Amino acid sequence: MSSSIGRKDQNVLCTKSGNRCAMPDCRKELVAEGNDKDRSSLVAQMAHIKGEKPGSARYDAGMADADRNKHENLILVCPSCHKKIDDQPNTYTVEKLVEIKQSHEQWIIESTRNEMTNITFAELGVVTKYLMSGQATTGDSLTLITPRDKIKKNGLSQTAEQLILMGMTQVKQVGSFIEKSPDIEFADRLRQGFVAEYSRLRNTERISGDDLFNAMHNYASGQSTDFKQRAAGLAVLVYLFEKCEVFEK
């Protein structure tokens, strides 16, 4: 991935793409699973919809240079698909790539939705184990408000609201999973991990709104490309959102 693309834009793009190649005839998983010694790695390329430099595919001289490496002008693909779209710019026009990107992001949402009712304690165990594997620190204390007021307070779009409503269908199961944990500090450590990541994204990465919500969803899912695990991660995130442990009060 290009070093000229800022970390914030990389995170937003990867999160909304579900860490999968956006090309509809590919959709290859782009995460190399980690192990006890190394973390997971994103094996992907961020292709420019409008070319980055003169002479590159789909270059638009009228585009502001500051916008060329923004996530809005990027599409996440595997190396093979990156070469294909740049070798065939008459087929993969700007308009076509924008359409492909939007369709892919909607497919990620719908695929997650379809797995929401299939979440079990097994998936919740996977995501919470990942979430509590790092060093967590306590964050700000957040007070209770209604989810709809909180959605408005945090500038979340209708798309994010739909995801939240989707996750709320499994909030009771998340609560039951946490209550049945033999570890009496489980809930507190889970909360601390979320608050720490939320604070890092908001204060260090300077992410807000839908981009922040999507980044937290990616974090909650362990950057997984498995839709059942992404659904479980969303359910945990929304459980804490509803409890007002994360996002602005």
Side-chain angles (χ1 to χ4, degrees):
M1 289 181 279
S2 173
S3 59
S4 59
I5 300 172
R7 183 172 177 177
K8 174 182 175 180
D9 288 290
Q10 292 184 28
N11 288 341
V12 170
L13 182 65
C14 293
T15 299
K16 295 182 73 173
S17 298
N19 301 318
R20 287 175 177 263
C21 178
M23 299 301 287
D25 56 349
C26 179
R27 288 178 173 164
K28 178 181 179 181
E29 297 180 6
L30 299 175
V31 174
E33 295 297 330
N35 51 44
D36 293 338
K37 297 181 179 179
D38 293 302
R39 63 181 182 181
S40 298
S41 176
L42 187 69
V43 185
Q45 293 185 0
M46 298 187 178
H48 289 80
I49 295 174
K50 293 184 178 180
E52 182 180 19
K53 300 176 181 178
S56 57
R58 298 171 299 278
Y59 180 76
D60 181 357
M63 186 180 198
D65 289 341
D67 295 332
R68 297 190 188 282
N69 289 317
K70 297 296 184 182
H71 65 86
E72 294 89 347
N73 189 47
L74 300 168
I75 182 169
L76 194 74
V77 291
C78 68
S80 295
C81 288
H82 191 177
K83 186 176 189 310
K84 178 173 67 175
I85 65 176
D86 282 355
D87 284 350
Q88 302 175 354
N90 294 319
T91 299
Y92 297 102
T93 62
V94 169
E95 294 75 17
K96 182 64 175 177
L97 290 180
V98 168
E99 179 187 342
I100 288 173
K101 179 179 178 179
Q102 292 175 344
S103 177
H104 177 73
E105 291 174 356
Q106 187 59 37
W107 176 73
I108 292 294
I109 292 173
E110 292 300 325
S111 297
T112 303
R113 183 196 305 275
N114 291 339
E115 288 294 346
M116 186 59 67
T117 58
N118 297 324
I119 297 173
T120 67
F121 276 18
E123 287 75 44
L124 292 174
V126 170
V127 298
T128 53
K129 180 180 180 180
Y130 163 79
L131 292 171
M132 301 202 309
S133 63
Q135 296 296 319
T137 57
T138 56
D140 299 332
S141 175
L142 303 177
T143 57
L144 184 64
I145 60 173
T146 63
R148 189 168 296 279
D149 288 340
K150 195 170 184 182
I151 288 169
K152 182 177 180 181
K153 174 71 175 179
N154 286 275
L156 299 178
S157 71
Q158 186 177 10
T159 299
E161 182 177 1
Q162 290 174 349
L163 287 170
I164 291 168
L165 293 175
M166 189 192 311
M168 287 182 71
T169 64
Q170 294 296 330
V171 160
K172 287 185 178 180
Q173 182 168 208
V174 175
S176 177
F177 176 80
I178 292 173
E179 289 174 5
K180 292 181 179 180
S181 173
D183 182 355
I184 60 174
E185 297 181 349
F186 180 83
D188 189 52
R189 288 190 289 117
L190 179 65
R191 179 194 67 82
Q192 289 179 7
F194 261 75
V195 172
E197 179 64 8
Y198 170 79
S199 297
R200 185 189 71 80
L201 290 168
R202 185 188 63 179
N203 300 324
T204 302
E205 300 293 334
R206 301 293 181 182
I207 300 176
S208 61
D210 278 19
D211 293 341
L212 178 54
F213 184 84
N214 290 331
M216 287 298 295
H217 181 200
N218 207 37
Y219 165 76
S221 306
Q223 299 185 22
S224 177
T225 56
D226 180 83
F227 289 113
K228 189 178 288 188
Q229 192 164 326
R230 289 183 67 82
L234 178 61
V236 174
L237 172 59
V238 173
Y239 171 84
L240 290 168
F241 182 93
E242 188 181 39
K243 295 287 186 182
C244 287
E245 302 289 3
V246 287
F247 289 88
E248 292 300 291
K249 59 187 177 182

